[in-house]
Amino acid sequence: MIQFSINRTLFIQALNATKRAISSKNAIPILSTIKIDVSPSDITLTGSNGQISIENTIPVSNDNAGLLITSPGSILLEANFFINIISSLPDVSLEFKEIEQHQVVLTSGKSEITLKGKDVEQYPRLQEVSTENPLVLKTKLLKSIIAETAFAASLQESRPILTGVHIVLSNHKDFKAVATDSHRMSQRVITLDNTSTDFDVVIPSKSLREFATVFTDDIETVEVFFSSSQILFRSDHISFYTRLLEGNYPDTDRLLMTDFETEVVFNTQSLRHAMERAFLISNATQNGTVKLEIAQHQISAHVNSPEVGKVNEDLDIVSQSGSDLTISFNPTYLIESLKAIKSETVKIHFLSPVRPFTLTPGDDEESFIQLITPVRTN
Amino acid sequence: MIQFSINRTLFIQALNATKRAISSKNAIPILSTIKIDVSPSDITLTGSNGQISIENTIPVSNDNAGLLITSPGSILLEANFFINIISSLPDVSLEFKEIEQHQVVLTSGKSEITLKGKDVEQYPRLQEVSTENPLVLKTKLLKSIIAETAFAASLQESRPILTGVHIVLSNHKDFKAVATDSHRMSQRVITLDNTSTDFDVVIPSKSLREFATVFTDDIETVEVFFSSSQILFRSDHISFYTRLLEGNYPDTDRLLMTDFETEVVFNTQSLRHAMERAFLISNATQNGTVKLEIAQHQISAHVNSPEVGKVNEDLDIVSQSGSDLTISFNPTYLIESLKAIKSETVKIHFLSPVRPFTLTPGDDEESFIQLITPVRTN
């Protein structure tokens, strides 16, 4: 039966990172527990919601853990409840001791708390992913790719495949991530330094956002492994599993146009703030849009929501070229698109009032491109 | 028709303070608007939810306001919507101009936003409170009295009078504030430096908490005025009105006992943390309680919730005297009570396992007293 002592602060951090995979309202009640596996050399915490699973390992070799393992074993404990209890204990360290009938006695300072646990046999087996030939990526790069694409995935389950981000490796080094909800699209491509086996997967955007929270910036690189239905992101102490989406992702390459009639370069922040004002008014009308009028020496934004009011605003630009154009669209898409662009300026290419327009960062021509579909108005 | 220009940051602050009285889901739709009254010398913003009303005045003499009034008038605007729009504008200042049909044109930088307003005649008249013979209190003192009592008021509407704080001035200088939900009671008395007319009112605890948020710590003193149904708290630029509760407040003085059998002095924070741990376990059982065992040289807390587990904890104390005693109670009441006590130690007096016990701050004998009713267990 389990017995160990550990630094409480470090244990709380590991528990909280693992808890991100655990939903207290899961349809499978046993998934509201956290699994604690104690071996002679480490403790592994496991949490899962059926879609994502997180394994967090604390080795005895971690000096900050103050981990002394007297006896190994495995047990399940109600995750939220257990973490609240551990967080409330008074001392810097804590003693964890399993007694009869899956009970656990926690001792810290003068406080002694006994909790009921569950037999570890009740926990579902997480699917295994073979850990050979990893694709190694810088965590920071992977997180920035997620930030640039995941927001453009659909939130609606009517076409489940569109709730994911399509990630493809071709020619062993051409990495592409793309997401679309059929109104807008965001695509990031990079060329990898190291080559790897080609793959083509669709990862739920929600899982990717969760990954970005769990893998903090101090984790330099992440190893990526695939099975037919799962993907595993792994660092030294954290393994993050997520299910893949099944089905064929639509061909997004055909949407990318190369020709354009009008080019305008805006200051990213100033365009975003103008669109946020426009949104406040357009949002008062169902399917409200903003109208962008591009004429020589004068670019302006207009919203008219008969119930609440209207906006008229001259926009500052960096440069413009090509034909005059008037185009209407949902300002939300442009706001979210501009939030994903880190460069000071943004280049927008228009072809016609009824064709999608593209956005690229002012400092980066090809590797990051977004596309927004206009709304036809008369 | 209204026309003025103003510093946007200061205007937003005043709007947000006024908004605290405004509920967007009010049963009376017009109360979701903010009333703007512009006179040649100042702007007054008014918000109300029918229970609380706030008037916020910005005078042209306020140098930070950069207020230039060209033309006076009054108008109603949707509060949340208007504040969001003002917050989104680009420039440090803003021009506010009323045009035909209660429309307002806001100009800031290159942005021009037109909003629909409403005729000020639609706004209900707030009851007047005569502003003679104010009771003048230090804001900080009044806020600390609220923090010490309002939490003990009832949250349930079954006995509406208990949702208020009973505030009484007698002998022109003896000020008493008391709240009880019939399970616990908290009472603060002070002797005023300056004398005033006696009063006896019951103020909704919710309104008092709102007052404490609106009257920031930089407001040194507050004038208090009464009518038969309302109370007005006033500073230089803010008037805060709240309705009084009608009915007779129960006699709480008879609950205060003077004799006791057992006295224990605890460290306030360490007792609070022990009770927070106890609560985590007791809360898993309906009407869960903590049992306090007071014996010579040994004071301990115990919880047993058969479904989830149990707590046993030895408590550190500063001193104890009198008889041994075992008493059970809801730890929530003790936690909330200890949160209201600012002194490092707390003195608790017990009479018997079935009689309420009292808490007083270790550094303050009589002016702040709390009472908690135990739970009978067998």
Side-chain angles (χ1 to χ4, degrees):
Chain A
M1 291 198 288
I2 306 172
Q3 186 171 0
F4 66 87
S5 63
I6 193 167
N7 175 285
R8 204 166 57 86
T9 306
L10 186 129
F11 195 42
I12 292 170
Q13 282 168 4
L15 288 166
N16 279 327
T18 313
K19 191 180 75 170
R20 293 204 70 91
I22 302 173
S23 159
S24 56
K25 290 173 189 159
N26 204 291
I28 306 166
I30 202 72
L31 290 182
S32 67
T33 64
I34 192 162
K35 182 155 78 91
I36 302 180
D37 293 299
V38 181
S39 82
S41 61
D42 57 32
I43 297 178
T44 301
L45 307 172
T46 304
S48 175
N49 63 9
Q51 293 295 317
I52 334 174
S53 306
I54 296 175
E55 281 173 18
N56 210 317
T57 304
I58 309 167
V60 290
S61 59
N62 180 342
D63 288 339
N64 297 324
L67 180 56
L68 187 72
I69 296 174
T70 316
S71 171
S74 293
I75 198 163
L76 303 179
L77 289 160
E78 277 305 314
N80 274 328
F81 189 57
F82 179 63
I83 296 172
N84 286 341
I85 296 284
I86 298 291
S87 303
S88 79
L89 290 173
D91 202 37
V92 289
S93 72
L94 110 103
E95 170 90 18
F96 182 115
K97 190 171 188 311
E98 185 185 355
I99 57 172
E100 74 282 356
Q101 292 182 319
H102 308 297
Q103 291 188 95
V104 165
V105 179
L106 305 166
T107 314
S108 179
K110 291 183 178 178
S111 184
E112 181 194 285
I113 299 186
T114 308
L115 298 182
K116 303 213 166 172
K118 290 199 173 102
D119 188 339
V120 75
E121 290 303 318
Q122 298 179 41
Y123 205 76
R125 208 153 297 277
L126 303 172
Q127 193 171 332
E128 301 277 324
V129 176
S130 145
T131 51
E132 283 170 16
N133 302 322
L135 164 66
V136 180
L137 292 173
K138 292 216 180 310
T139 310
K140 211 173 157 180
L141 175 67
L142 182 55
K143 285 172 72 170
S144 95
I145 293 169
I146 292 170
E148 287 166 343
T149 54
F151 74 92
S154 175
L155 297 173
Q156 286 165 0
E157 291 295 333
S158 51
R159 282 184 71 188
I161 197 78
L162 294 188
T163 63
V165 177
H166 188 204
I167 299 185
V168 180
L169 187 70
S170 49
N171 306 321
H172 303 292
K173 59 179 178 29
D174 296 333
F175 183 99
K176 180 176 87 167
V178 62
T180 178
D181 63 1
S182 79
H183 301 290
R184 37 84 185 271
M185 189 193 91
S186 186
Q187 173 183 295
R188 178 74 150 113
V189 296
I190 55 168
T191 305
L192 298 185
D193 296 335
N194 41 351
T195 62
S196 182
T197 314
D198 286 357
F199 58 83
D200 184 325
V201 295
V202 184
I203 309 176
S205 64
K206 207 175 151 188
S207 302
L208 288 173
R209 279 192 290 267
E210 210 54 65
F211 162 83
T213 312
V214 171
F215 278 66
T216 46
D217 286 341
D218 57 315
I219 300 171
E220 268 199 32
T221 60
V222 54
E223 295 177 315
V224 188
F225 305 93
F226 301 91
S227 76
S228 57
S229 65
Q230 284 201 311
I231 189 167
L232 161 60
F233 298 100
R234 192 173 75 171
S235 71
D236 280 357
H237 300 309
I238 302 179
S239 294
F240 182 101
Y241 298 81
T242 172
R243 282 187 191 283
L244 298 172
L245 291 172
E246 285 175 32
N248 290 319
Y249 202 81
D251 175 16
T252 49
D253 288 342
R254 65 175 178 81
L255 300 172
L256 295 170
M257 54 175 191
T258 46
D259 53 338
F260 60 89
E261 288 290 327
T262 309
E263 173 184 292
V264 187
V265 178
F266 291 92
N267 175 286
T268 312
Q269 288 307 312
S270 118
L271 180 59
R272 175 176 156 190
H273 292 144
M275 288 301 123
E276 284 170 344
R277 286 187 282 279
F279 169 74
L280 286 174
I281 303 287
S282 73
N283 188 42
T285 307
Q286 207 182 1
N287 303 319
T289 59
V290 59
K291 185 166 72 177
L292 198 66
E293 288 187 358
I294 301 169
Q296 293 306 316
H297 314 300
Q298 179 86 339
I299 298 191
S300 55
H302 307 272
V303 179
N304 190 0
S305 289
E307 302 84 353
V308 299
K310 56 194 173 192
V311 179
N312 293 298
E313 178 155 352
D314 288 342
L315 301 178
D316 288 319
I317 59 158
V318 179
S319 70
Q320 77 174 106
S321 62
S323 332
D324 290 359
L325 179 101
T326 297
I327 189 167
S328 293
F329 52 88
N330 179 338
T332 307
Y333 295 134
L334 187 48
I335 293 167
E336 293 188 4
S337 158
L338 294 168
K339 279 185 190 171
I341 291 176
K342 297 286 165 279
S343 80
E344 200 184 323
T345 59
V346 54
K347 186 181 290 179
I348 307 190
H349 284 170
F350 302 92
L351 183 58
S352 92
V354 297
R355 298 287 296 276
F357 55 95
T358 62
L359 296 92
T360 47
D363 61 4
D364 173 346
E365 272 308 290
E366 292 152 56
S367 71
F368 181 32
I369 185 163
Q370 300 186 69
L371 186 146
I372 294 173
T373 305
V375 174
R376 292 184 201 218
T377 56
N378 288 315
Chain B
M1 290 199 287
I2 305 171
Q3 187 173 0
F4 66 87
S5 62
I6 193 166
N7 175 285
R8 202 165 58 84
T9 307
L10 186 130
F11 195 41
I12 293 170
Q13 281 168 4
L15 288 166
N16 279 328
T18 312
K19 192 179 75 171
R20 295 204 69 90
I22 302 174
S23 158
S24 56
K25 289 174 189 158
N26 204 292
I28 306 167
I30 202 72
L31 290 183
S32 68
T33 64
I34 193 161
K35 183 154 79 90
I36 302 181
D37 293 301
V38 181
S39 82
S41 61
D42 58 34
I43 297 179
T44 300
L45 307 172
T46 304
S48 176
N49 62 9
Q51 293 295 317
I52 317 176
S53 307
I54 297 175
E55 282 173 17
N56 211 316
T57 303
I58 308 167
V60 289
S61 59
N62 179 341
D63 287 341
N64 298 324
L67 179 56
L68 187 72
I69 296 174
T70 316
S71 171
S74 294
I75 198 162
L76 303 179
L77 289 160
E78 277 304 316
N80 274 328
F81 188 57
F82 179 63
I83 296 172
N84 286 341
I85 297 283
I86 297 290
S87 303
S88 80
L89 290 173
D91 204 36
V92 289
S93 71
L94 107 103
E95 170 90 17
F96 182 114
K97 191 173 187 311
E98 185 186 355
I99 59 171
E100 74 283 355
Q101 294 181 318
H102 307 298
Q103 291 187 94
V104 165
V105 179
L106 305 166
T107 314
S108 178
K110 291 182 175 177
S111 183
E112 181 194 284
I113 298 186
T114 308
L115 297 182
K116 304 213 166 174
K118 290 199 173 103
D119 188 339
V120 76
E121 291 303 319
Q122 297 179 41
Y123 204 76
R125 207 153 295 277
L126 303 173
Q127 193 172 330
E128 301 278 323
V129 175
S130 148
T131 50
E132 282 170 19
N133 302 321
L135 164 67
V136 180
L137 292 173
K138 292 216 181 307
T139 310
K140 212 173 156 182
L141 175 67
L142 182 53
K143 285 171 72 170
S144 93
I145 293 169
I146 292 170
E148 287 166 343
T149 54
F151 73 91
S154 175
L155 298 172
Q156 286 166 1
E157 292 295 333
S158 52
R159 283 184 71 188
I161 197 77
L162 294 188
T163 64
V165 177
H166 188 205
I167 299 185
V168 180
L169 187 70
S170 48
N171 307 319
H172 303 291
K173 58 179 178 30
D174 296 334
F175 182 101
K176 180 177 87 170
V178 62
T180 178
D181 63 0
S182 79
H183 301 291
R184 39 82 184 270
M185 189 192 92
S186 186
Q187 172 182 298
R188 177 75 148 115
V189 297
I190 55 166
T191 305
L192 298 184
D193 297 334
N194 41 352
T195 62
S196 182
T197 314
D198 285 356
F199 57 82
D200 184 324
V201 296
V202 183
I203 308 176
S205 63
K206 206 174 152 189
S207 301
L208 288 174
R209 278 191 290 267
E210 211 54 65
F211 162 83
T213 313
V214 172
F215 278 67
T216 47
D217 286 340
D218 57 316
I219 300 172
E220 268 199 29
T221 60
V222 54
E223 295 177 315
V224 187
F225 305 93
F226 302 92
S227 76
S228 57
S229 65
Q230 284 201 312
I231 190 166
L232 162 60
F233 298 98
R234 192 173 75 172
S235 71
D236 280 357
H237 300 309
I238 301 179
S239 295
F240 182 101
Y241 298 81
T242 172
R243 282 187 189 284
L244 298 172
L245 290 173
E246 285 175 33
N248 290 319
Y249 201 82
D251 175 15
T252 49
D253 288 340
R254 67 178 174 79
L255 300 174
L256 295 171
M257 54 176 190
T258 45
D259 53 339
F260 60 90
E261 289 290 326
T262 310
E263 173 183 293
V264 186
V265 178
F266 291 92
N267 174 287
T268 311
Q269 288 307 313
S270 119
L271 179 60
R272 176 176 155 191
H273 292 144
M275 288 301 123
E276 285 169 346
R277 287 187 282 278
F279 170 75
L280 286 174
I281 303 288
S282 73
N283 188 41
T285 307
Q286 208 181 359
N287 303 319
T289 59
V290 59
K291 184 166 72 178
L292 198 65
E293 288 186 356
I294 301 170
Q296 292 307 316
H297 313 298
Q298 179 87 337
I299 298 190
S300 56
H302 307 273
V303 179
N304 190 1
S305 289
E307 300 86 352
V308 299
K310 56 194 173 192
V311 179
N312 293 298
E313 179 156 350
D314 287 341
L315 301 178
D316 288 319
I317 60 157
V318 178
S319 71
Q320 77 174 105
S321 63
S323 334
D324 291 0
L325 179 100
T326 297
I327 190 167
S328 294
F329 52 88
N330 180 336
T332 308
Y333 294 133
L334 187 49
I335 293 166
E336 293 188 4
S337 159
L338 294 168
K339 279 185 189 170
I341 291 176
K342 297 287 165 280
S343 80
E344 200 184 323
T345 59
V346 53
K347 186 181 290 179
I348 307 191
H349 284 169
F350 302 92
L351 183 58
S352 91
V354 297
R355 298 287 297 276
F357 56 94
T358 61
L359 295 92
T360 47
D363 61 4
D364 173 347
E365 272 307 291
E366 293 152 56
S367 72
F368 180 32
I369 186 163
Q370 300 185 69
L371 188 145
I372 295 173
T373 304
V375 174
R376 292 184 201 217
T377 56
N378 289 314

